[in-house]
Amino acid sequence: MFRYFLGFQVAADRAGWLARQLPPVSGDLFAGLKPQNYHLTLCTIAETAEAQPFLRSRVAAAFASGLPAASHIPFGRIMSRDSGAELTTVGSIGGVRHLYDRIVALLGAQGIEPMHRKSGLRPHITLGYGACDFDPVPAAWNWAPRELALIESHVGHRRHRVLQRWPLLPPPQGAFAFMEDEMPPPLRYAA
């Protein structure tokens, strides 16, 4: 089975840092998942019995006019789950939700619908598979991905192949809400 998804890949230096944040656990938490494959799945767009060679061109057409700017994703803790460990968000995910909505709108113009989102967007990065049990570990990281990737996953084989990448603009910078009469007086220089 082939699964096609859009997501953000974690850079190698950050992936290594995340792997080192995990507490020592018994068992094989890293069975089949290595730090170089860490990613955040934004949405799955197809699951098929055979490879879909034309899907990449449809996704590329959806993004031909450009992608929205990236958003900061506020990660804050590593949690054990029934089937592994994951880095989870803390605080507001409004920015990444807005980015997701804009990407979904672009895909919709090409008749591509995201799958498996009935429960809503829950940004996380899976750090390992396998039973583990540990108390939450703080891991503060405010991540702004630099590119969106279309990835083909060979389900059951734990192989991912990046089909294409699209750069994201950096997140917009916040602005200070100065009122004109609140501005400090201009500096005067002696001549």
Side-chain angles (χ1 to χ4, degrees):
M1 178 157 164
F2 294 88
R3 179 175 293 139
Y4 295 88
F5 65 90
L6 291 162
F8 308 123
Q9 288 189 300
V10 178
D13 63 331
R14 281 283 109 185
W17 175 80
L18 285 172
R20 290 188 299 275
Q21 302 309 302
L22 284 164
V25 294
S26 60
D28 196 6
L29 178 61
F30 295 107
L33 183 63
K34 303 203 177 347
Q36 63 264 27
N37 290 332
Y38 287 173
H39 65 275
L40 184 152
T41 300
L42 198 56
C43 61
T44 299
I45 57 172
E47 291 178 338
T48 61
E50 296 180 10
Q52 298 294 308
F54 300 108
L55 184 60
R56 176 173 50 185
S57 62
R58 290 180 57 212
V59 173
F63 299 154
S65 63
L67 287 168
S71 171
H72 290 282
I73 305 170
F75 290 105
R77 63 183 163 258
I78 297 173
M79 309 281 291
S80 67
R81 299 283 187 215
D82 293 338
S83 60
E86 64 186 27
L87 178 66
T88 61
T89 56
V90 293
S92 173
I93 60 164
V96 71
R97 186 178 313 280
H98 179 70
L99 173 63
Y100 168 78
D101 290 342
R102 303 249 341 258
I103 288 171
V104 167
L106 293 170
L107 292 169
Q110 292 295 316
I112 302 170
E113 299 274 331
M115 305 169 70
H116 313 301
R117 279 286 176 241
K118 291 177 181 59
S119 62
L121 181 65
R122 189 180 70 83
H124 68 280
I125 297 172
T126 300
L127 303 177
Y129 296 111
C132 62
D133 186 26
F134 56 85
D135 290 332
V137 175
W141 179 34
N142 196 18
W143 183 35
R146 293 193 172 131
E147 60 187 14
L148 179 67
L150 172 61
I151 299 171
E152 177 185 74
S153 172
H154 299 236
V155 178
H157 299 281
R158 305 217 192 272
R159 285 187 307 220
H160 291 167
R161 182 169 69 119
V162 175
L163 300 178
Q164 190 162 343
R165 300 173 199 270
W166 293 270
L168 296 169
L169 295 172
Q173 250 185 316
F176 294 108
F178 286 128
M179 299 297 284
E180 197 168 317
D181 57 325
E182 294 179 76
M183 296 295 289
L187 294 175
R188 295 180 189 233
Y189 296 98

